[in-house]
Amino acid sequence: MEKIRVAVVGSGSWGFNHVRTFYNLNTCELMGVSDLNEKNLIRVKNQFPELMTSKEYTDFTRSNDIDAIVVPSSAETHYEIAKDALEHGKHCLVEKPITLDIDEAQELVDLAKQKDLVLMVGHLLLYHGAVDFLKKLVDEKKIGDMLYLYSQRVNLGKVRSNENALWSFAPHDISIMLYLIDSKPVRVSATGQSFLQKKNNIHDVVFFTIYFENGTIATGQVSWLDPHKIRKFTIVGSEKMVTFDDMEIREKIRIYDKGVDGWDVSYDSYAESMSIHDGDISIPKVVLTEPLKREDSHFIECIIDKKKPLTDGQNGLDVLKVLVAAQKSLDNYGKPEDIL
Ligand SMILES: NC(=O)c1ccc[n+]([C@@H]2O[C@H](COP(=O)([O-])OP(=O)(O)OC[C@H]3O[C@@H](n4cnc5c(N)ncnc54)[C@H](O)[C@@H]3O)[C@@H](O)[C@H]2O)c1
């Protein structure tokens, strides 16, 4: 069978990882790379001399020798490049966030559907073995009913000037929240502050809370101005609690047999009716493969097998709707905003 021919548009600090990954996949052939920055193209040429390089992405989106375009360019260019790719009959993997504007994202989703092309979004963490594990745990009710969850994605640096911490980091957390919580996100509130780039109002730290139709809440803290490097999820269920700590090399998941029993029974004296159970902590073995390799392989598989991606365009749009409402709330000092 002929291999899927791929080109990558945007070979900056993250895009280069896609270049390396697609180059090494045996289900596709990486043909070329586009970047506006000459230095990035030289780096590609040095490492992969046989690849075509061009500053003009249209050399690939409009070429008959390319089947699929990967778009890890800066977020504000995703729409233009992905639209051109889809219009010219190319399958498309766009980095997160899918676009900056809901109507534009909807247009891409509609275009892909109309042209019967795969449109996928790089919500990387949904290809993480630990997230697979959490999903199964939650779906099989091993922690009882999910009550709430919170995530922390904080570190010191890399300070961005083209987007705030919400848009830079939170797509990861929001994508996991929507994946794990089997209910519609209806409202979000967000607060934060810009300390380093006050004049441009670029928030370095953001705290957001998403309210779901079934009463579950999910809250997140994102920041590039923090003494700790934390990438952690905590899920509190009615029977057990679980953490996913991505900074741990091996023991990423811990299940705590802890909880409060009797909390949902109506007694006159609530405190007397409740008892705390504080049992064992277990550390299950989780199969871990490189998430980016899984993500990129999945994209190619979806093209070959004509499958809907786990993180398809609609999923990108769903995450974007939360981001847009959260930004609105952030601009209004935390006033809750409906998610469209
Ligand atoms: N999934 C993840 O875990 C993850 C991690 C980091 C970044 N990202 C996403 O990847 C994207 C890129 O992030 P980055 O950190 O690599 O940014 P970056 O600024 O380092 O790289 C972006 C590159 O795109 C190039 N570019 C911009 N417009 C272009 C055009 N019209 N044609 C060709 N090249 C163009 C720029 O020259 C630059 O080299 C962003 O959307 C970001 O949110 C995802």
Side-chain angles (χ1 to χ4, degrees), residues 12-14 35-36 40 72-74 78 95-96 122 124 160 172:
S13 48
W14 184 246
D35 201 294
L36 294 176
N40 288 342
S73 57
S74 19
H78 290 176
E95 259 309 334
K96 55 83 189 162
L124 181 74
R160 299 205 174 234
H172 291 303

Side-chain angles (χ1 to χ4, degrees), residues 295-335:
E295 177 189 303
D296 289 349
S297 310
H298 182 65
F299 177 54
I300 300 298
E301 254 168 52
C302 289
I303 296 172
I304 295 172
D305 300 339
K306 296 188 185 304
K307 277 193 321 198
K308 180 170 111 64
L310 173 65
T311 53
D312 64 355
Q314 182 60 47
N315 179 240
L317 181 55
D318 293 343
V319 170
L320 177 67
K321 285 180 177 175
V322 179
L323 284 168
V324 167
Q327 180 63 50
K328 224 168 156 185
S329 171
L330 195 57
D331 295 338
N332 285 301
Y333 300 97
K335 181 175 164 280

